[in-house]
Amino acid sequence: AQKITQTQPGMFVQEKEAVTLDCTYDTSDPSYGLFWYKQPSSGEMIFLIYQGSYDQQNATEGRYSLNFQKARKSANLVISASQLGDSAMYFCAMREPLIQNSSSGSARQLTFGSGTQLTVLP
Amino acid sequence: DTEVTQTPKHLVMGMTNKKSLKCEQHMGHRAMYWYKQKAKKPPELMFVYSYEKLSINESVPSRFSPECPNSSLLNLHLHALQPEDSALYLCASSQAVQGALSYNSPLHFGNGTRLTVT
């Protein structure tokens, strides 16, 4: 089963308009973190915003905000006042409780959704 | 500017070549990752190092050999690759902490190495 689902392969938005990118997730653990990344055509993966499962407030970071609906297991990204430079692939991702390794510390996996290609139109 | 640096940016290699990808971070992170990404697909986890020790190997073929010489460096040694191994290889780092509160640590990625196997 998919842990992270992004149902919009592609989205178009007019410059200066707001756009919502959908993300739903599946986990049975009460502790988890949700992340959004932006990947322009150049390939770099840019961290945008984080939401923790226990956070009471929706995360905001500049023009980015996260519409977190825990009961529905959704974590949609809202980009306000779209700019041409926002055109990119956007990935939703989740981290779950750590994998214990008593001899070497700990590390966490990041599970990605399939991504949404956003195109901002002039 | 990214704080995780990957070299080279582009690499073309034949199937009999041996090459290495390099990654360096100066964020004080103790977890480092290698991901493989095909075009229009999400990144797929290959390896995770925690405190310089390999903690996760996602059943990656032995023609990929990771190495973590110290807390700032991560290498990926390549040997006898196949054309289907052509992809973008991303390195990332994050905090690695004991206990149950480390799920809030984002991964910070480098710009990637675009590998073409001919």
Side-chain angles (χ1 to χ4, degrees):
Chain A
Q2 291 279 348
K3 285 191 173 183
I4 297 282
T5 302
Q6 295 181 254
T7 58
Q8 305 155 315
M11 287 281 285
F12 292 87
V13 64
Q14 209 67 41
E15 194 178 7
K16 300 180 184 178
E17 300 279 309
V19 63
T20 298
L21 306 183
D22 295 342
C23 173
T24 57
Y25 59 92
D26 183 27
T27 179
S28 57
D29 202 288
S31 303
Y32 51 88
L34 297 161
F35 303 83
W36 277 91
Y37 284 84
K38 171 186 178 181
Q39 188 176 39
S41 57
S42 57
E44 60 188 301
M45 191 74 76
I46 303 166
F47 166 63
L48 296 177
I49 195 167
Y50 159 80
Q51 180 84 43
S53 59
Y54 297 111
D55 293 344
Q56 296 295 313
Q57 304 283 341
N58 285 344
T60 61
E61 195 71 49
R63 293 187 298 111
Y64 304 108
S65 61
L66 205 152
N67 184 1
F68 181 46
Q69 298 187 45
K70 193 171 182 177
R72 297 179 61 183
K73 293 189 176 179
S74 74
N76 299 338
L77 177 71
V78 180
I79 305 175
S80 63
S82 297
Q83 301 172 356
L84 296 178
D86 293 335
S87 293
M89 181 74 88
Y90 288 80
F91 290 100
C92 180
M94 178 171 65
R95 299 196 82 176
E96 293 173 279
L98 63 88
I99 298 168
Q100 288 285 0
N101 185 329
S102 59
S103 63
S104 64
S106 62
R108 317 297 299 281
Q109 291 190 48
L110 191 71
T111 304
F112 288 90
S114 55
T116 295
Q117 180 68 48
L118 176 67
T119 302
V120 180
L121 303 171
Chain B
D1 290 337
T2 182
E3 295 183 73
V4 179
T5 304
Q6 288 187 244
T7 56
K9 290 185 177 181
H10 301 273
L11 178 62
V12 180
M13 61 184 291
M15 288 188 285
T16 59
N17 291 158
K18 286 185 179 181
K19 296 286 185 183
S20 296
L21 308 185
K22 297 186 182 301
C23 176
E24 185 170 8
Q25 59 93 8
H26 295 289
M27 304 180 73
H29 291 162
R30 300 305 296 274
M32 296 187 76
Y33 309 74
W34 279 115
Y35 281 83
K36 173 183 178 180
Q37 186 179 25
K38 302 287 269 186
K40 306 294 186 185
K41 297 291 187 181
E44 298 174 350
L45 183 66
M46 300 175 71
F47 302 103
V48 182
Y49 273 82
S50 177
Y51 291 87
E52 295 86 69
K53 292 187 178 180
L54 184 64
S55 62
I56 296 177
N57 177 340
E58 290 289 305
S59 302
V60 179
S62 60
R63 57 186 184 270
F64 295 91
S65 176
E67 178 196 20
C68 191
N70 59 54
S71 60
S72 300
L73 294 174
L74 184 66
N75 298 322
L76 186 62
H77 302 297
L78 315 173
H79 174 56
L81 294 193
Q82 303 297 311
E84 59 265 29
D85 296 322
S86 298
L88 179 68
Y89 288 82
L90 292 162
C91 172
S93 69
S94 76
Q95 295 178 6
V97 296
Q98 302 284 354
L101 298 179
S102 55
Y103 56 84
N104 61 351
S105 175
L107 272 65
H108 295 267
F109 288 83
N111 289 345
T113 294
R114 291 196 184 274
L115 173 68
T116 302
V117 181
T118 61

